[in-house]
Amino acid sequence: MNLSKPTDGKLPTKRVWMAGGISILGSVIANLVVYWVGRMVVNPDPGFQPLAGPGPTIFFTVAFLLVATLVYLAINAYTKQPVRIFTIVAVIVFLVGLIPDFLLFGEGVAASMGMGTATPGAVVLLILMHIVAFAITLWAFTRWAHSR
């Protein structure tokens, strides 16, 4: 097992798609585990749409990580340092993507958007799911894909 830092060179397109698949599959599985355990612990309001069932978790994880794969493909094609550039882009997107989650802590914000009632525990669960997907995705594209 090679524990040294992976290279930051360009990848074959097939390797990027494989990293995207690993990112999607790993994130969906991990987020479903977090979802089921989190539902048992925080018992979110059944009307809170993001956690109303496993469907939204699967759909949004797959959709956004497919976009992440396309972004990595573009970065890989047009830059000399895809790992560095993707990491910067991913961190910025991750932090901006947390803004709506943190806004849900406001009283009645979720209900005013037609999403049901967001308890603090449900919002923390949603944020945790974003962290899990972010970590797996960053690992898949910046570590796994570049290891030989």
Side-chain angles (χ1 to χ4, degrees), residues 37-110:
V37 171
R39 283 190 60 85
M40 289 186 284
V41 172
V42 301
N43 194 22
D45 184 289
F48 183 52
Q49 294 304 310
L51 301 176
T57 297
I58 295 168
F59 175 79
F60 287 108
T61 300
V62 170
F64 285 114
L65 295 186
L66 183 57
V67 171
T69 302
L70 296 173
V71 167
Y72 198 93
L73 280 165
I75 289 171
N76 187 60
Y78 297 107
T79 68
K80 293 180 181 176
Q81 297 178 311
V83 168
R84 181 175 177 271
I85 302 299
F86 181 77
T87 300
I88 292 167
V89 170
V91 168
I92 291 169
V93 169
F94 171 69
L95 293 174
V96 170
L98 288 178
I99 292 171
D101 294 346
F102 281 103
L103 290 175
L104 292 174
F105 282 117
E107 187 69 31
V109 172

Side-chain angles (χ1 to χ4, degrees), residues 31-43 125:
N31 270 342
L32 286 174
V33 169
V34 170
Y35 168 81
W36 289 115
V37 171
R39 283 190 60 85
M40 289 186 284
V41 172
V42 301
N43 194 22
L125 177 57

Side-chain angles (χ1 to χ4, degrees), residues 5 44 50 57 74 109 115 118 121 136 139:
K5 185 177 180 192
T57 297
V109 172
M115 293 177 26
I136 291 170
W139 170 82

